[in-house]
Amino acid sequence: MNRLQSYARVIKFLFLFVYMPLVLITGIIKWAYMYIMPLRETTLPLSHICTNLLAGAIDGFSLVLLSVIAYYCARLLDQYKAGETFSIQVLNLYTKINRLVLLWALYNPIKNTALELLKTIHNPAGNRIIAFSFTSQDMYHILIVGLLLILSSIMQAACELKEEHDLTV
Amino acid sequence: MKIVVKLDELMIKRKLRLNELASRIDLTEANLSILKTGKARAIRFSTLEALCKELDCQPGDILEYREE
């Protein structure tokens, strides 16, 4: 077993049993507390229930994206554990993770804007708020996407080199 | 343009099997098969030298340039 394989084994363990449960379970609890618990109030008008469900769906989508990214990361670590470092499957996984992280990074500011609007949509006219914010955390996410793009292009070059090396007799 | 490997013709002339030639030039059967079927992207001088020595031929007898 080489160093990458043993690192992959440890990282996958931490990823699956520490990091992802923390992120997903706290996310799901927060989501349920914010969007499902208020529905227990029977006095809520239908429009408020619909708004709450819509906000829940918008907020929940980023959690779904995060779960799919986690699934692909786990598959990537599986490939590394199996000793596949520069294969076409690894490259495909990098591309998928990259696209999803980009979608997630771009979706977050849009989600915050939509949630801000939905939160105040039932206020009287003049008190409704729509605000678009692009925080330093969003910039950080875009930076991660950029780094992943560089990494995936390096992986592509490495895969091409490996293929050439394999076909050199 | 295409570089054609004429290894199979030479092997038939010399009545050599793939595994036999592979063991004589210290190459794996899989790699020799890649070369024989024209899937190879490159050939090392050491491999070419070993093939020429074993098949008693010149590099030009193994490789041929054909215009498509």
Side-chain angles (χ1 to χ4, degrees):
Chain A
M1 190 186 288
N2 63 27
R3 202 192 294 180
L4 182 66
Q5 283 173 301
S6 51
Y7 281 167
R9 193 176 286 269
V10 174
I11 292 169
K12 194 187 171 187
F13 178 81
L14 291 174
F15 188 73
L16 284 184
F17 297 105
V18 181
Y19 180 73
M20 281 327 289
L22 273 176
V23 171
L24 289 180
I25 292 169
T26 52
I28 289 167
I29 290 170
K30 190 182 144 204
W31 182 83
Y33 184 75
M34 280 176 76
Y35 304 108
I36 302 296
M37 295 293 269
L39 298 181
R40 292 169 72 195
E41 283 181 41
T42 47
T43 51
L44 271 180
L46 185 66
S47 60
H48 280 68
I49 294 171
C50 289
T51 311
N52 215 34
L53 286 175
L54 184 62
I58 289 169
D59 204 8
F61 183 67
S62 75
L63 211 58
V64 171
L65 272 178
L66 208 61
S67 311
V68 178
I69 292 168
Y71 167 71
Y72 283 126
C73 283
R75 277 184 56 188
L76 182 68
L77 291 169
D78 275 340
Q79 292 281 332
Y80 285 149
K81 262 170 66 183
E84 291 283 336
T85 317
F86 301 116
S87 65
I88 199 81
Q89 286 91 347
V90 170
L91 187 62
N92 288 340
L93 285 170
Y94 262 102
T95 313
K96 280 177 186 168
I97 291 169
N98 209 356
R99 282 180 190 158
L100 286 167
V101 174
L102 177 66
L103 182 64
W104 183 68
L106 294 177
Y107 180 73
N108 270 338
I110 296 165
K111 178 193 82 177
N112 293 337
T113 308
L115 289 179
E116 194 70 40
L117 177 68
L118 287 173
K119 213 185 280 175
T120 56
I121 202 153
H122 298 296
N123 288 356
N127 291 323
R128 292 169 195 155
I129 299 168
I130 182 161
F132 182 80
S133 62
F134 199 76
T135 60
S136 59
Q137 202 170 9
D138 296 320
M139 284 295 288
Y140 174 67
H141 293 154
I142 298 285
L143 185 74
I144 289 175
V145 173
L147 288 175
L148 276 173
L149 262 171
I150 293 169
L151 208 60
S152 80
S153 60
I154 291 170
M155 286 301 294
Q156 190 170 5
C159 284
E160 282 166 11
L161 279 173
K162 187 182 180 284
E163 196 191 345
E164 198 156 299
H165 178 263
D166 287 346
L167 291 176
T168 299
V169 180
Chain B
M1 69 173 198
K2 199 179 176 188
I3 300 289
V4 180
V5 181
K6 298 186 295 177
L7 199 60
D8 43 355
E9 292 170 27
L10 283 167
M11 281 167 66
I12 291 166
K13 274 185 199 167
R14 308 287 195 277
K15 291 176 183 164
L16 273 170
R17 293 171 71 91
L18 190 80
N19 55 353
E20 203 179 333
L21 182 61
S23 66
R24 280 194 201 179
I25 61 169
D26 202 22
L27 205 71
T28 63
E29 263 185 71
N31 273 347
L32 194 59
S33 174
I34 287 171
L35 186 63
K36 197 179 150 226
T37 51
K39 288 177 190 160
R41 289 261 185 95
I43 180 166
R44 289 190 187 92
F45 279 154
S46 57
T47 309
L48 199 57
E49 190 186 323
L51 279 170
C52 289
K53 191 178 173 187
E54 200 53 49
L55 298 170
D56 190 27
C57 64
Q58 291 299 311
D61 298 326
I62 300 170
L63 304 172
E64 189 188 301
Y65 167 74
R66 278 183 202 162
E67 224 164 311
E68 282 180 324

